[in-house]
Amino acid sequence: MIRLAELAAWMTRTVLLSLLLTTLGFSGFTKDASNSVLYNVTHNYVYIYTVLISLSSLLLNILYFDFDILFSNNSKNILDTNIKNTNKKEYICFSGIIPTLIFLLQGVKVKGVNRNLIVLSGWKKLYLSSDTNYLQIENIRPIKKFDYIVNIILILIILVIWLLIPFFFIKVYDFLSIILYHLGVPTSFSRRIITIFGAVPISFHIYSYAVKPYYWNYTSKAALLFRKKVENIDSNFQVYESPILPFYLKRQSPLGLADVFKKQIYINPIVLKDETILQYVIAHEEGHIYDFCPKILKIFGYTIPWVAFIIIIIIDYLLFVGELYFNIWLIILGLITVILMFVLLIILREICEERAENYAIKKLGLENVIKALQKIAYSDILPDKYKYHKWGAEKQLERIKRDGRNYK
Protein backbone atom coordinates (compact mmCIF):
# COMPACT_ATOMS: atom_id res chain seq x y z
CA MET A 1 0.00 0.00 0.00
CA ILE A 2 1.30 3.45 -0.92
CA ARG A 3 1.61 5.83 1.96
CA LEU A 4 -0.28 8.79 0.54
CA ALA A 5 0.91 10.98 3.42
CA GLU A 6 4.56 10.36 2.57
CA LEU A 7 3.85 10.81 -1.15
CA ALA A 8 2.25 14.19 -0.43
CA ALA A 9 5.32 15.20 1.62
CA TRP A 10 7.66 13.99 -1.13
CA MET A 11 5.79 16.00 -3.76
CA THR A 12 5.79 19.05 -1.47
CA ARG A 13 9.55 18.77 -1.10
CA THR A 14 9.81 18.71 -4.89
CA VAL A 15 7.76 21.92 -4.97
CA LEU A 16 10.11 23.57 -2.47
CA LEU A 17 13.14 22.50 -4.50
CA SER A 18 11.50 23.88 -7.64
CA LEU A 19 10.85 27.15 -5.81
CA LEU A 20 14.48 27.35 -4.80
CA LEU A 21 15.86 26.48 -8.23
CA THR A 22 13.47 28.87 -9.96
CA THR A 23 14.42 31.87 -7.85
CA LEU A 24 18.16 31.19 -7.71
CA GLY A 25 18.39 30.71 -11.46
CA PHE A 26 16.14 33.56 -12.49
CA SER A 27 18.84 36.21 -12.96
CA GLY A 28 20.04 34.43 -16.11
CA PHE A 29 16.57 33.63 -17.40
CA THR A 30 16.05 35.87 -20.47
CA LYS A 31 18.51 36.21 -23.29
CA ASP A 32 17.18 39.59 -24.36
CA ALA A 33 16.35 41.89 -21.44
CA SER A 34 14.48 44.26 -23.78
CA ASN A 35 11.75 41.66 -24.36
CA SER A 36 9.02 40.86 -21.91
CA VAL A 37 9.31 37.41 -20.43
CA LEU A 38 5.74 36.69 -21.51
CA TYR A 39 6.79 37.55 -25.05
CA ASN A 40 9.43 34.84 -24.84
CA VAL A 41 6.72 32.26 -24.07
CA THR A 42 5.76 32.30 -27.74
CA HIS A 43 9.39 31.50 -28.58
CA ASN A 44 9.40 28.41 -26.33
CA TYR A 45 12.26 29.69 -24.19
CA VAL A 46 9.97 29.83 -21.16
CA TYR A 47 8.81 26.30 -21.75
CA ILE A 48 12.39 25.06 -21.90
CA TYR A 49 13.15 26.90 -18.69
CA THR A 50 10.07 25.47 -16.96
CA VAL A 51 10.84 21.92 -18.02
CA LEU A 52 14.46 22.21 -16.85
CA ILE A 53 13.44 23.58 -13.44
CA SER A 54 10.70 20.99 -12.93
CA LEU A 55 12.83 18.03 -13.96
CA SER A 56 15.83 19.27 -11.96
CA SER A 57 13.79 19.61 -8.76
CA LEU A 58 12.27 16.17 -9.32
CA LEU A 59 15.65 14.57 -10.00
CA LEU A 60 17.24 16.23 -6.97
CA ASN A 61 14.46 14.96 -4.72
CA ILE A 62 14.77 11.44 -6.15
CA LEU A 63 18.53 11.35 -5.53
CA TYR A 64 18.34 11.70 -1.78
CA PHE A 65 15.03 10.13 -0.84
CA ASP A 66 14.48 6.62 0.49
CA PHE A 67 11.52 5.33 -1.51
CA ASP A 68 10.96 2.42 0.87
CA ILE A 69 9.23 4.94 3.11
CA LEU A 70 6.42 5.26 0.54
CA PHE A 71 5.39 1.62 0.90
CA SER A 72 4.24 0.23 4.23
CA ASN A 73 5.10 -3.41 3.38
CA ASN A 74 8.76 -2.65 2.52
CA SER A 75 9.77 -0.62 5.55
CA LYS A 76 11.70 -1.97 8.51
CA ASN A 77 9.34 -2.35 11.43
CA ILE A 78 11.19 -0.84 14.37
CA LEU A 79 8.20 -1.55 16.58
CA ASP A 80 8.51 -5.32 16.10
CA THR A 81 12.29 -5.46 16.52
CA ASN A 82 12.99 -2.91 19.23
CA ILE A 83 9.77 -1.86 20.96
CA LYS A 84 7.30 -4.70 20.94
CA ASN A 85 9.13 -6.86 23.47
CA THR A 86 10.28 -4.02 25.72
CA ASN A 87 8.62 -1.50 28.00
CA LYS A 88 7.09 1.27 25.95
CA LYS A 89 4.93 4.37 26.29
CA GLU A 90 1.86 4.90 24.14
CA TYR A 91 0.57 8.26 22.93
CA ILE A 92 -2.70 9.01 21.17
CA CYS A 93 -2.58 12.36 19.32
CA PHE A 94 -4.61 14.15 16.67
CA SER A 95 -2.92 16.13 13.90
CA GLY A 96 -4.39 17.94 10.93
CA ILE A 97 -3.33 17.88 7.29
CA ILE A 98 -0.90 20.84 7.20
CA PRO A 99 0.85 20.19 10.56
CA THR A 100 1.35 16.52 9.67
CA LEU A 101 2.65 17.49 6.23
CA ILE A 102 5.19 19.85 7.81
CA PHE A 103 6.20 17.07 10.21
CA LEU A 104 6.75 14.58 7.38
CA LEU A 105 8.93 17.06 5.50
CA GLN A 106 11.43 16.65 8.34
CA GLY A 107 13.22 13.72 9.87
CA VAL A 108 13.10 11.50 6.79
CA LYS A 109 16.35 9.77 7.70
CA VAL A 110 16.35 10.10 11.48
CA LYS A 111 17.60 6.82 12.86
CA GLY A 112 15.23 5.14 15.30
CA VAL A 113 11.98 6.60 13.98
CA ASN A 114 9.61 4.41 11.97
CA ARG A 115 6.84 6.38 10.26
CA ASN A 116 3.88 4.33 9.11
CA LEU A 117 1.44 7.08 8.20
CA ILE A 118 -0.88 6.27 5.32
CA VAL A 119 -2.93 9.48 5.41
CA LEU A 120 -2.20 12.93 6.79
CA SER A 121 -5.18 13.90 8.93
CA GLY A 122 -6.72 12.06 11.86
CA TRP A 123 -5.69 10.35 15.06
CA LYS A 124 -2.17 8.92 15.37
CA LYS A 125 -0.73 6.33 17.72
CA LEU A 126 2.88 6.62 18.86
CA TYR A 127 5.01 4.06 20.69
CA LEU A 128 8.20 5.21 22.40
CA SER A 129 10.68 2.68 23.80
CA SER A 130 11.63 3.05 27.46
CA ASP A 131 15.17 4.13 26.54
CA THR A 132 13.72 6.75 24.11
CA ASN A 133 15.87 5.37 21.29
CA TYR A 134 13.02 4.11 19.07
CA LEU A 135 9.71 5.61 18.04
CA GLN A 136 6.85 4.15 16.00
CA ILE A 137 4.21 6.47 14.46
CA GLU A 138 1.13 5.13 12.71
CA ASN A 139 -2.49 5.94 11.88
CA ILE A 140 -5.21 4.55 14.08
CA ARG A 141 -7.14 2.05 12.00
CA PRO A 142 -9.56 1.82 10.32
CA ILE A 143 -8.88 4.80 8.08
CA LYS A 144 -11.92 6.53 6.60
CA LYS A 145 -12.32 6.62 2.81
CA PHE A 146 -12.78 10.38 3.05
CA ASP A 147 -9.19 10.72 4.30
CA TYR A 148 -7.90 8.82 1.26
CA ILE A 149 -9.84 11.11 -1.07
CA VAL A 150 -8.58 14.26 0.67
CA ASN A 151 -4.97 13.07 0.39
CA ILE A 152 -5.33 12.24 -3.30
CA ILE A 153 -6.85 15.66 -4.01
CA LEU A 154 -4.03 17.33 -2.05
CA ILE A 155 -1.39 15.44 -4.06
CA LEU A 156 -3.00 16.58 -7.32
CA ILE A 157 -3.01 20.20 -6.09
CA ILE A 158 0.66 19.92 -5.12
CA LEU A 159 1.46 18.48 -8.55
CA VAL A 160 -0.20 21.45 -10.27
CA ILE A 161 1.68 23.92 -8.05
CA TRP A 162 4.96 22.17 -8.90
CA LEU A 163 4.34 22.68 -12.62
CA LEU A 164 3.17 26.28 -12.25
CA ILE A 165 5.94 27.68 -10.04
CA PRO A 166 8.22 28.80 -12.93
CA PHE A 167 5.23 30.43 -14.67
CA PHE A 168 4.27 32.17 -11.43
CA PHE A 169 7.67 33.83 -11.16
CA ILE A 170 7.46 34.83 -14.80
CA LYS A 171 4.33 36.78 -13.85
CA VAL A 172 6.14 38.20 -10.82
CA TYR A 173 8.98 39.28 -13.11
CA ASP A 174 6.59 41.14 -15.42
CA PHE A 175 4.84 42.79 -12.46
CA LEU A 176 8.14 43.93 -10.92
CA SER A 177 9.34 45.16 -14.29
CA ILE A 178 6.31 47.42 -14.63
CA ILE A 179 6.83 48.85 -11.13
CA LEU A 180 10.55 49.44 -11.70
CA TYR A 181 9.84 51.07 -15.05
CA HIS A 182 7.55 53.63 -13.42
CA LEU A 183 10.16 54.22 -10.71
CA GLY A 184 12.81 54.91 -13.33
CA VAL A 185 14.80 51.77 -12.46
CA PRO A 186 16.11 49.40 -15.18
CA THR A 187 13.46 46.70 -15.61
CA SER A 188 16.10 43.97 -15.93
CA PHE A 189 16.96 44.52 -12.25
CA SER A 190 13.73 42.70 -11.35
CA ARG A 191 15.46 39.42 -12.25
CA ARG A 192 18.11 40.12 -9.62
CA ILE A 193 15.45 40.88 -7.00
CA ILE A 194 13.90 37.44 -7.57
CA THR A 195 17.31 35.77 -7.32
CA ILE A 196 18.16 37.55 -4.05
CA PHE A 197 14.70 36.66 -2.74
CA GLY A 198 15.48 32.98 -3.34
CA ALA A 199 19.01 33.18 -1.95
CA VAL A 200 18.07 34.80 1.37
CA PRO A 201 14.51 34.56 2.81
CA ILE A 202 13.34 31.58 0.72
CA SER A 203 16.49 29.55 1.44
CA PHE A 204 16.25 30.42 5.14
CA HIS A 205 12.64 29.31 5.54
CA ILE A 206 12.65 26.10 3.48
CA TYR A 207 16.14 24.79 4.34
CA SER A 208 14.87 22.48 7.09
CA TYR A 209 12.29 20.97 4.73
CA ALA A 210 14.10 20.63 1.42
CA VAL A 211 17.88 21.05 1.52
CA LYS A 212 19.20 18.47 3.98
CA PRO A 213 20.13 15.53 1.77
CA TYR A 214 21.78 13.13 4.21
CA TYR A 215 20.26 13.77 7.63
CA TRP A 216 17.01 15.63 8.26
CA ASN A 217 16.36 16.58 11.86
CA TYR A 218 13.09 17.39 13.54
CA THR A 219 12.67 21.07 14.43
CA SER A 220 10.63 22.56 17.23
CA LYS A 221 7.51 22.66 15.03
CA ALA A 222 7.64 18.88 14.73
CA ALA A 223 8.49 18.40 18.40
CA LEU A 224 5.40 20.34 19.44
CA LEU A 225 2.99 18.50 17.12
CA PHE A 226 2.60 15.21 19.02
CA ARG A 227 2.23 15.74 22.74
CA LYS A 228 0.60 14.51 25.93
CA LYS A 229 -0.38 16.77 28.80
CA VAL A 230 1.43 16.10 32.07
CA GLU A 231 -0.90 16.28 35.04
CA ASN A 232 -0.18 17.25 38.66
CA ILE A 233 2.81 19.42 37.82
CA ASP A 234 3.90 22.42 39.88
CA SER A 235 3.89 25.03 37.12
CA ASN A 236 1.93 28.13 36.14
CA PHE A 237 1.94 26.95 32.52
CA GLN A 238 0.68 23.91 30.66
CA VAL A 239 3.31 21.17 30.53
CA TYR A 240 3.40 18.50 27.84
CA GLU A 241 5.69 15.58 27.15
CA SER A 242 6.76 15.23 23.54
CA PRO A 243 7.90 11.83 22.17
CA ILE A 244 9.64 13.67 19.31
CA LEU A 245 12.08 15.57 21.54
CA PRO A 246 14.52 12.61 21.89
CA PHE A 247 14.99 12.86 18.10
CA TYR A 248 14.94 16.67 17.86
CA LEU A 249 18.59 17.16 16.93
CA LYS A 250 21.32 14.68 16.09
CA ARG A 251 23.41 15.30 19.20
CA GLN A 252 21.46 17.86 21.19
CA SER A 253 18.07 16.34 21.98
CA PRO A 254 16.73 18.92 24.45
CA LEU A 255 15.44 18.00 27.88
CA GLY A 256 12.80 20.70 27.49
CA LEU A 257 11.49 23.41 25.19
CA ALA A 258 9.41 26.50 25.88
CA ASP A 259 6.99 28.12 23.47
CA VAL A 260 7.45 31.64 24.79
CA PHE A 261 4.49 33.06 22.85
CA LYS A 262 1.94 30.32 23.57
CA LYS A 263 3.39 29.99 27.09
CA GLN A 264 3.62 26.21 26.99
CA ILE A 265 6.37 23.85 28.13
CA TYR A 266 7.39 20.65 26.36
CA ILE A 267 9.57 18.09 28.09
CA ASN A 268 11.56 15.11 26.95
CA PRO A 269 9.98 11.88 28.31
CA ILE A 270 13.42 10.85 29.61
CA VAL A 271 13.25 13.48 32.39
CA LEU A 272 10.12 11.89 33.83
CA LYS A 273 12.36 9.19 35.28
CA ASP A 274 13.64 11.56 37.94
CA GLU A 275 11.50 14.08 39.86
CA THR A 276 14.46 16.35 40.71
CA ILE A 277 15.51 16.70 37.06
CA LEU A 278 11.87 17.11 35.99
CA GLN A 279 11.24 20.02 38.36
CA TYR A 280 14.52 21.64 37.34
CA VAL A 281 13.75 21.40 33.60
CA ILE A 282 10.26 22.83 34.12
CA ALA A 283 11.61 25.71 36.22
CA HIS A 284 14.30 26.43 33.62
CA GLU A 285 11.71 26.58 30.81
CA GLU A 286 9.46 28.76 32.97
CA GLY A 287 12.37 31.15 33.20
CA HIS A 288 12.41 31.42 29.40
CA ILE A 289 8.68 32.17 29.30
CA TYR A 290 8.86 34.87 31.96
CA ASP A 291 11.92 36.46 30.34
CA PHE A 292 11.57 38.93 27.47
CA CYS A 293 14.98 38.01 26.04
CA PRO A 294 13.89 34.74 24.27
CA LYS A 295 11.02 36.63 22.62
CA ILE A 296 13.47 39.19 21.25
CA LEU A 297 15.78 36.39 20.09
CA LYS A 298 12.96 34.60 18.28
CA ILE A 299 11.71 37.79 16.59
CA PHE A 300 15.30 38.65 15.72
CA GLY A 301 15.77 35.23 14.13
CA TYR A 302 12.71 35.67 11.93
CA THR A 303 13.53 39.22 10.83
CA ILE A 304 17.23 38.70 10.03
CA PRO A 305 16.68 37.14 6.56
CA TRP A 306 14.23 39.88 5.56
CA VAL A 307 16.48 42.68 6.78
CA ALA A 308 19.39 41.03 4.96
CA PHE A 309 17.19 40.76 1.84
CA ILE A 310 16.52 44.51 1.82
CA ILE A 311 20.15 45.43 2.52
CA ILE A 312 21.49 43.13 -0.20
CA ILE A 313 19.01 44.53 -2.74
CA ILE A 314 20.12 48.09 -1.96
CA ILE A 315 23.81 47.19 -2.28
CA ASP A 316 23.21 45.15 -5.44
CA TYR A 317 21.26 48.00 -7.02
CA LEU A 318 24.07 50.48 -6.33
CA LEU A 319 26.49 48.03 -7.93
CA PHE A 320 24.10 47.47 -10.83
CA VAL A 321 23.82 51.17 -11.71
CA GLY A 322 27.52 51.84 -11.15
CA GLU A 323 27.24 54.00 -8.03
CA LEU A 324 29.12 51.46 -5.94
CA TYR A 325 32.03 49.22 -6.84
CA PHE A 326 33.36 46.03 -5.32
CA ASN A 327 36.54 46.64 -3.38
CA ILE A 328 38.37 45.07 -0.50
CA TRP A 329 36.77 47.44 2.04
CA LEU A 330 33.25 46.58 0.93
CA ILE A 331 34.00 42.86 1.24
CA ILE A 332 35.58 43.36 4.68
CA LEU A 333 32.56 45.40 5.82
CA GLY A 334 30.19 42.65 4.67
CA LEU A 335 32.18 39.95 6.47
CA ILE A 336 32.36 42.01 9.66
CA THR A 337 28.58 42.58 9.55
CA VAL A 338 27.87 38.86 9.17
CA ILE A 339 30.27 37.95 11.96
CA LEU A 340 28.77 40.57 14.28
CA MET A 341 25.27 39.20 13.64
CA PHE A 342 26.37 35.68 14.57
CA VAL A 343 28.20 36.96 17.65
CA LEU A 344 25.10 38.91 18.70
CA LEU A 345 22.94 35.80 18.36
CA ILE A 346 25.40 33.75 20.45
CA ILE A 347 25.52 36.43 23.14
CA LEU A 348 21.72 36.64 23.26
CA ARG A 349 21.42 32.87 23.58
CA GLU A 350 23.93 32.83 26.44
CA ILE A 351 22.06 35.63 28.20
CA CYS A 352 18.74 33.77 27.79
CA GLU A 353 20.16 30.55 29.24
CA GLU A 354 21.79 32.32 32.18
CA ARG A 355 18.61 34.21 33.04
CA ALA A 356 16.54 31.01 32.86
CA GLU A 357 19.05 29.29 35.14
CA ASN A 358 18.84 32.14 37.60
CA TYR A 359 15.05 31.85 37.66
CA ALA A 360 15.29 28.09 38.33
CA ILE A 361 17.60 28.82 41.28
CA LYS A 362 15.19 31.46 42.58
CA LYS A 363 12.20 29.09 42.36
CA LEU A 364 13.75 25.78 43.51
CA GLY A 365 16.64 26.98 45.64
CA LEU A 366 20.36 26.67 44.98
CA GLU A 367 20.75 23.24 46.59
CA ASN A 368 17.97 21.65 44.52
CA VAL A 369 19.36 23.06 41.28
CA ILE A 370 22.85 21.81 42.13
CA LYS A 371 21.40 18.38 42.93
CA ALA A 372 19.57 18.28 39.56
CA LEU A 373 22.66 19.41 37.64
CA GLN A 374 24.79 16.79 39.37
CA LYS A 375 22.33 14.07 38.37
CA ILE A 376 22.35 15.28 34.77
CA ALA A 377 26.14 15.53 34.66
CA TYR A 378 27.28 12.45 36.56
CA SER A 379 24.45 9.91 36.93
CA ASP A 380 23.39 7.25 34.43
CA ILE A 381 19.79 8.53 34.27
CA LEU A 382 20.46 10.09 30.87
CA PRO A 383 21.78 7.85 28.04
CA ASP A 384 25.09 8.52 26.31
CA LYS A 385 23.47 10.51 23.50
CA TYR A 386 22.85 13.29 26.04
CA LYS A 387 26.57 14.00 26.41
CA TYR A 388 25.95 17.59 25.32
CA HIS A 389 23.65 18.12 28.32
CA LYS A 390 26.08 16.41 30.67
CA TRP A 391 28.79 18.76 29.50
CA GLY A 392 26.44 21.74 29.82
CA ALA A 393 25.45 20.73 33.36
CA GLU A 394 29.13 20.57 34.34
CA LYS A 395 29.62 24.09 32.99
CA GLN A 396 26.60 25.33 34.93
CA LEU A 397 27.95 23.75 38.12
CA GLU A 398 31.25 25.53 37.57
CA ARG A 399 29.45 28.85 37.07
CA ILE A 400 27.36 28.35 40.20
CA LYS A 401 30.45 27.44 42.18
CA ARG A 402 32.18 30.56 40.89
CA ASP A 403 29.21 32.91 41.47
CA GLY A 404 27.46 31.00 44.24
CA ARG A 405 27.64 33.87 46.69
CA ASN A 406 25.31 35.86 44.43
CA TYR A 407 22.50 33.36 45.06
CA LYS A 408 22.63 33.40 48.87
Side-chain angles (χ1 to χ4, degrees), residues 114-376:
N114 184 39
R115 310 189 326 196
N116 189 21
L117 295 178
I118 307 300
V119 295
L120 291 167
S121 61
W123 290 93
K124 316 294 191 304
K125 183 179 291 185
L126 295 84
Y127 298 97
L128 181 67
S129 63
S130 58
D131 58 5
T132 70
N133 286 329
Y134 302 99
L135 179 69
Q136 169 84 9
I137 308 174
E138 59 186 26
N139 294 104
I140 294 180
R141 307 297 181 93
I143 302 173
K144 297 179 181 179
K145 291 183 179 180
F146 176 77
D147 291 324
Y148 285 103
I149 295 173
V150 169
N151 277 258
I152 292 173
I153 293 174
L154 179 63
I155 291 170
L156 293 176
I157 293 173
I158 294 171
L159 179 62
V160 172
I161 294 173
W162 168 55
L163 296 174
L164 291 181
I165 279 179
F167 288 102
F168 170 78
F169 277 96
I170 290 168
K171 288 285 189 179
V172 171
Y173 170 86
D174 279 342
F175 179 72
L176 286 175
S177 297
I178 293 172
I179 294 177
L180 295 181
Y181 174 78
H182 288 292
L183 293 175
V185 178
T187 57
S188 59
F189 185 69
S190 58
R191 300 200 309 270
R192 302 169 76 97
I193 294 177
I194 293 175
T195 300
I196 296 170
F197 178 68
V200 186
I202 289 295
S203 297
F204 176 82
H205 288 294
I206 74 171
Y207 177 78
S208 296
Y209 310 110
V211 198
K212 286 190 175 182
Y214 301 111
Y215 190 97
W216 288 311
N217 299 308
Y218 289 112
T219 67
S220 57
K221 289 183 180 179
L224 310 187
L225 176 61
F226 301 112
R227 61 188 186 179
K228 178 181 179 182
K229 189 173 182 180
V230 181
E231 305 291 346
N232 303 319
I233 289 292
D234 179 21
S235 176
N236 294 327
F237 308 104
Q238 291 182 326
V239 179
Y240 301 90
E241 58 174 303
S242 169
I244 303 297
L245 279 186
F247 311 94
Y248 176 69
L249 289 174
K250 189 174 182 180
R251 295 181 179 177
Q252 300 179 20
S253 302
L255 301 181
L257 282 177
D259 190 322
V260 294
F261 291 109
K262 292 183 178 179
K263 296 184 177 181
Q264 295 175 343
I265 297 172
Y266 299 83
I267 60 172
N268 191 318
I270 197 73
V271 306
L272 292 172
K273 294 183 177 182
D274 187 274
E275 184 67 22
T276 302
I277 296 178
L278 173 62
Q279 293 301 327
Y280 163 73
V281 171
I282 291 175
H284 183 94
E285 299 308 323
E286 283 180 340
H288 285 310
I289 294 176
Y290 282 121
D291 190 12
F292 68 90
C293 186
K295 298 180 179 67
I296 294 176
L297 184 62
K298 196 164 187 177
I299 294 172
F300 187 57
Y302 279 116
T303 56
I304 279 180
W306 295 101
V307 172
F309 171 62
I310 295 172
I311 293 174
I312 292 173
I313 283 180
I314 294 172
I315 294 174
D316 190 58
Y317 174 73
L318 294 176
L319 291 169
F320 185 75
V321 297
E323 295 185 11
L324 185 67
Y325 299 94
F326 267 120
N327 55 63
I328 187 64
W329 297 111
L330 180 63
I331 296 173
I332 291 175
L333 178 62
L335 290 175
I336 290 175
T337 303
V338 172
I339 292 172
L340 287 176
M341 290 176 65
F342 277 106
V343 170
L344 180 59
L345 284 174
I346 293 172
I347 292 174
L348 283 175
R349 285 181 62 88
E350 291 295 326
I351 292 174
C352 290
E353 291 302 318
E354 186 171 329
R355 290 164 70 95
E357 197 70 12
N358 292 341
Y359 175 84
I361 292 172
K362 181 179 179 181
K363 177 181 178 179
L364 302 177
L366 182 59
E367 291 184 0
N368 289 326
V369 170
I370 290 176
K371 185 178 180 181
L373 291 173
Q374 287 174 338
K375 285 188 174 183
I376 294 173

Side-chain angles (χ1 to χ4, degrees), residues 16-62:
L16 296 178
L17 289 170
S18 178
L19 174 63
L20 192 62
L21 292 175
T22 300
T23 53
L24 292 180
F26 209 87
S27 61
F29 173 53
T30 55
K31 288 182 177 179
D32 186 357
S34 63
N35 290 332
S36 166
V37 178
L38 288 179
Y39 172 80
N40 284 317
V41 171
T42 59
H43 292 67
N44 293 325
Y45 188 59
V46 169
Y47 292 119
I48 295 173
Y49 172 77
T50 302
V51 170
L52 286 176
I53 289 294
S54 300
L55 291 181
S56 297
S57 61
L58 182 63
L59 178 61
L60 186 59
N61 201 17
I62 289 173

Side-chain angles (χ1 to χ4, degrees), residues 44-101:
N44 293 325
Y45 188 59
V46 169
Y47 292 119
I48 295 173
Y49 172 77
T50 302
V51 170
L52 286 176
I53 289 294
S54 300
L55 291 181
S56 297
S57 61
L58 182 63
L59 178 61
L60 186 59
N61 201 17
I62 289 173
L63 288 177
Y64 58 71
F65 186 81
D66 183 5
F67 280 93
D68 284 345
I69 203 169
L70 291 180
F71 304 96
S72 56
N73 58 336
N74 290 336
S75 63
K76 295 180 181 179
N77 199 324
I78 296 177
L79 174 62
D80 288 338
T81 57
N82 295 293
I83 299 180
K84 191 173 183 180
N85 298 321
T86 62
N87 295 326
K88 60 182 180 295
K89 297 192 69 173
E90 181 179 308
Y91 303 82
I92 304 296
C93 306
F94 179 88
S95 60
I97 293 176
I98 301 302
T100 308
L101 186 63

